[in-house]
């Protein structure tokens, strides 16, 4: 916890670079098979922040999205017997990542088609001890939110008709 409030290591950070580098990381580290990535970046000003924490936050959100999309669909009834053996009818999932400037705030959107979250569970995702991820290095939503608040940012989760939208707002 203390590390989040330590202002050392603050530098001007380009959020578009954080997004594209984090997507490169996701392509190397996560199972992105069947996932189509749509990246839309508008020019946004750099912000003063600890770059490693921003990377951890964006990568954590990407990882959550990819995991959500990976859970649905590898079921036998998705398979169709064709002459060439089993073919999956599963349509590819879409990961939309975007940045824009809106009324003096940088808005980062990470949207998946992984089915969304249970609204009744929403508050628990932001509790300090909640994590669906068993890996210790994983950055929980609580930690992401706590870090973003230290730099005047906010994290919101919103269900869409196909999945979940994570919205990061950062004051420039």
């Amino acid at each position: 916890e203390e590390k989040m409030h330590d202002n050392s290591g603050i530098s001007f950070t380009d959020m578009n670079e954080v997004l594209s580098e984090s997507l490169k990381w996701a392509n190397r580290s996560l199972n992105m098979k069947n996932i189509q990535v749509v990246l839309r970046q508008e020019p946004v000003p750099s912000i003063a922040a600890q770059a490693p924490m921003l990377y951890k936050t964006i990568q954590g959100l990407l990882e959550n999205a990819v995991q959500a999309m990976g859970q649905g669909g590898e079921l036998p009834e998705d398979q169709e017997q064709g002459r060439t053996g089993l073919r999956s009818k599963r349509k590819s999932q879409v990961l939309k990542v975007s940045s824009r400037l809106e009324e003096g705030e940088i808005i980062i959107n990470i949207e998946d088609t992984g089915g969304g979250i249970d609204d009744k569970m929403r508050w628990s995702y932001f509790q300090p001890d909640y994590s669906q991820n068993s890996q210790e290095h994983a950055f929980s939503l609580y930690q992401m939110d706590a870090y973003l608040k230290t730099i005047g940012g906010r994290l919101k989760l919103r269900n869409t008709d196909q999945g979940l939208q994570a919205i990061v707002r950062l004051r420039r």
Side-chain angles (χ1 to χ4, degrees):
E1 287 300 295
E2 304 85 55
K3 283 201 292 276
M4 287 194 190
H5 305 287
D6 167 20
N7 287 340
S8 64
I10 291 221
S11 58
F12 278 97
T13 306
D14 176 351
M15 279 315 292
N16 280 338
E17 194 177 306
V18 172
L19 285 183
S20 24
E21 289 303 315
S22 295
L23 278 168
K24 284 181 196 162
W25 167 85
N27 279 316
R28 285 193 309 271
S29 316
L30 307 174
N31 178 10
M32 301 286 282
K33 195 170 62 93
N34 294 330
I35 296 177
Q36 179 200 348
V37 178
V38 180
L39 176 62
R40 222 181 53 238
Q41 294 178 315
E42 293 177 16
V44 293
S46 292
I47 58 164
Q50 292 160 296
M53 299 294 272
L54 281 174
Y55 275 100
K56 273 180 98 161
T57 299
I58 298 301
Q59 289 172 357
L61 292 171
L62 288 173
E63 191 167 2
N64 289 350
V66 169
Q67 281 173 352
M69 292 188 284
Q71 280 162 7
E74 296 297 336
L75 299 169
E77 63 254 35
D78 265 3
Q79 304 290 335
E80 155 190 294
Q81 190 75 44
R83 279 196 305 276
T84 54
L86 288 175
R87 271 208 318 270
S88 176
K89 285 191 297 197
R90 186 173 166 214
K91 64 177 193 322
S92 73
Q93 303 274 14
V94 182
L95 174 64
K96 289 186 194 159
V97 180
S98 67
S99 62
R100 68 181 194 280
L101 193 60
E102 188 180 278
E103 292 161 18
E105 283 188 317
I106 297 171
I107 314 285
I108 305 295
N109 255 322
I110 296 175
E111 190 176 328
D112 64 58
T113 51
I117 55 172
D118 180 348
D119 276 324
K120 291 191 283 293
M121 286 288 292
R122 183 185 299 261
W123 71 274
S124 67
Y125 292 126
F126 287 98
Q127 299 311 302
D129 51 0
Y130 182 85
S131 178
Q132 282 187 307
N133 204 320
S134 51
Q135 292 148 318
E136 280 95 64
H137 73 267
F139 212 38
S140 70
L141 288 168
Y142 170 79
Q143 290 168 309
M144 294 175 198
D145 193 47
Y147 168 66
L148 289 169
K149 283 176 179 153
T150 67
I151 56 170
R154 299 196 302 284
L155 171 63
K156 267 207 174 107
L157 300 178
R158 203 170 71 195
N159 279 323
T160 65
D161 50 353
Q162 291 187 303
L164 187 69
Q165 189 178 39
I167 303 153
V168 175
R169 292 176 170 271
L170 297 162
R171 259 188 260 132
R172 47 176 292 196

